[in-house]
Amino acid sequence: MGTVIYGNELAQELKDGMKARVDELRRQGRRIPSLSVILAGENPASLSYVRGKQKACASVGIESSVIRLPADVSQEALEAEIIRLNEDPAVDGILVQLPLPAGLEESRAIGRIDPRKDVDGLHPLNVGRLYLGEEGFVPCTPRGCMELLKRMEAPLDGCRAVVVGRSHLVGSPVARLLQNANATVTICHSHTRNLREICRQADVLIVAIGQPHFIDHTYVKEGAYVIDVGISKAADGSLKGDVDFDDVLPVAKAITPVPKGVGPMTICMLLDNTLKAYEEREKHGL
Ligand code: NDP
């Protein structure tokens, strides 16, 4: 029977450490780290994610602000807002909540963010740094997956890792992080043939496809470390992962559940990236 690794528990431990760091800054009368989120439109899921991010910031003492823009905001006005935040010395982290309303170009907006404040790690410069194995901001969900693998004590060096899903947000960057950790990585997607056979070779299996309970025990090697990134809402309102947890638990060495798995770690890594941005900016007197 595998060990269940709860992301909410790990996130809480890490947040306790962050809170202690921010409390110490406050005690010393120093400037407090700050995150600004740009939210365009009224997408209910985005509104709820942004509220979650604000709550998480408050829980560790990081300051946060939300800039609300109408759904029909022009590309120019959106970018002007990003530039204003780039130039505001009190702002350490900038996040543009995705998806943007129709008509707005996400890549142009992300490209406007000062890479030193790009706490989502989506600016092309930070993407490039990740691929070159250089220091930079790494997207939050892939970072969360790596922290969970660390907690599982998964031996990554030389292991066979399979990532199902190749999005820019999750699959591709987590595959790169695994490769940077010396795993031998295969990336699978909707055109992959023999997906089951490939997954069955994985010592580490990361699934990020958004297909509820797609992966059952027939895809999983005995003793594999399994990270389930997927989140889908079922008809009854419950959240389902891409992995059939009950079916896979007996064969896995360790596995993350949904909910209480990768989700809380994603927000936790956003806070960590914001602290990192703050520390870098303070160090360089920015
Ligand atoms: P995308 O839709 O951008 O990408 C999905 C990927 O899965 C694509 O590469 C697609 O292949 C692949 N895929 C889809 N169906 C199959 C299939 N049947 N077999 C093999 N590959 C398949 O999604 P994201 O990467 O943004 O998110 C993936 C999941 O993770 C979603 O459920 C999302 O809600 C969740 N998520 C969770 C987060 C968290 O914090 N827990 C954060 C971000 C996402 P192709 O490229 O060929 O189309």
Side-chain angles (χ1 to χ4, degrees), residues 191-258:
H191 296 252
T192 300
R193 290 193 206 110
N194 305 324
L195 180 65
R196 192 186 318 259
E197 284 66 33
I198 295 169
C199 290
R200 278 182 73 86
Q201 292 170 19
D203 303 308
V204 167
L205 179 62
I206 307 221
V207 192
I209 56 177
Q211 307 280 344
H213 289 191
F214 185 92
I215 299 287
D216 64 16
H217 76 276
T218 64
Y219 286 77
V220 181
K221 176 172 151 181
E222 183 90 37
Y225 297 86
V226 181
I227 305 276
D228 186 358
V229 182
I231 307 177
S232 308
K233 210 170 204 165
D236 64 2
S238 65
L239 296 180
K240 296 226 180 312
D242 290 341
V243 176
D244 185 342
F245 180 85
D246 294 333
D247 191 60
V248 169
L249 180 61
V251 294
K253 169 89 173 168
I255 183 168
T256 57
V258 175

Side-chain angles (χ1 to χ4, degrees), residues 18-60:
M18 293 179 209
K19 181 167 186 313
R21 279 156 68 192
V22 179
D23 284 350
E24 181 58 19
L25 293 172
R26 201 164 261 122
R27 205 187 55 76
Q28 292 174 1
R30 307 260 301 275
R31 188 174 73 78
I32 298 302
S34 159
L35 172 72
S36 287
V37 180
I38 296 182
L39 175 59
E42 303 284 337
N43 179 331
S46 294
L47 281 164
S48 145
Y49 287 140
V50 169
R51 269 196 296 272
K53 286 166 187 175
Q54 280 190 289
K55 217 172 117 191
C57 283
S59 75
V60 299

Side-chain angles (χ1 to χ4, degrees), residues 49 140-142 163-172 187-192 195 207-212 214-215 219 228-232 240-242 258 261-267:
Y49 287 140
C140 303
T141 303
V163 178
V164 192
R166 59 174 166 180
S167 71
H168 295 315
L169 207 59
V170 189
S172 294
I187 304 175
C188 301
H189 43 75
S190 67
H191 296 252
T192 300
L195 180 65
V207 192
I209 56 177
Q211 307 280 344
F214 185 92
I215 299 287
Y219 286 77
D228 186 358
V229 182
I231 307 177
S232 308
K240 296 226 180 312
D242 290 341
V258 175
V262 174
M265 285 303 294
T266 295
I267 294 200

Side-chain angles (χ1 to χ4, degrees), residues 46-279:
S46 294
L47 281 164
S48 145
Y49 287 140
V50 169
R51 269 196 296 272
K53 286 166 187 175
Q54 280 190 289
K55 217 172 117 191
C57 283
S59 75
V60 299
I62 292 177
E63 285 172 0
S64 68
S65 63
V66 179
I67 290 97
R68 297 286 303 267
L69 300 173
D72 62 357
V73 65
S74 68
Q75 183 79 30
E76 291 66 30
L78 170 65
E79 291 181 29
E81 202 56 50
I82 295 169
I83 291 162
R84 188 184 65 77
L85 294 173
N86 285 343
E87 288 166 0
D88 184 342
V91 172
D92 298 295
I94 303 171
L95 184 158
V96 176
Q97 184 64 41
L98 303 178
L100 286 172
L104 293 170
E105 274 184 60
E106 287 181 358
S107 63
R108 258 182 67 191
I110 301 292
R112 281 289 187 189
I113 299 173
D114 181 337
R116 292 168 297 195
K117 298 188 176 189
D118 171 37
V119 286
D120 251 351
L122 298 177
H123 187 284
L125 194 74
N126 284 315
V127 175
R129 284 179 176 149
L130 171 63
Y131 282 77
L132 293 169
E134 292 175 1
E135 190 56 37
F137 287 106
V138 174
C140 303
T141 303
R143 270 201 72 198
C145 293
M146 297 305 283
E147 288 292 332
L148 286 160
L149 287 171
K150 194 155 109 190
R151 177 50 60 100
M152 289 175 171
E153 297 181 0
L156 299 181
D157 198 306
C159 85
R160 180 80 198 264
V162 173
V163 178
V164 192
R166 59 174 166 180
S167 71
H168 295 315
L169 207 59
V170 189
S172 294
V174 82
R176 195 66 201 190
L177 286 169
L178 286 163
Q179 189 179 314
N180 291 353
N182 294 326
T184 301
V185 185
T186 303
I187 304 175
C188 301
H189 43 75
S190 67
H191 296 252
T192 300
R193 290 193 206 110
N194 305 324
L195 180 65
R196 192 186 318 259
E197 284 66 33
I198 295 169
C199 290
R200 278 182 73 86
Q201 292 170 19
D203 303 308
V204 167
L205 179 62
I206 307 221
V207 192
I209 56 177
Q211 307 280 344
H213 289 191
F214 185 92
I215 299 287
D216 64 16
H217 76 276
T218 64
Y219 286 77
V220 181
K221 176 172 151 181
E222 183 90 37
Y225 297 86
V226 181
I227 305 276
D228 186 358
V229 182
I231 307 177
S232 308
K233 210 170 204 165
D236 64 2
S238 65
L239 296 180
K240 296 226 180 312
D242 290 341
V243 176
D244 185 342
F245 180 85
D246 294 333
D247 191 60
V248 169
L249 180 61
V251 294
K253 169 89 173 168
I255 183 168
T256 57
V258 175
K260 299 187 179 168
V262 174
M265 285 303 294
T266 295
I267 294 200
C268 180
M269 292 297 105
L270 172 66
L271 303 179
D272 199 55
N273 277 349
T274 304
L275 286 182
K276 179 180 160 162
Y278 168 86
E279 280 160 7

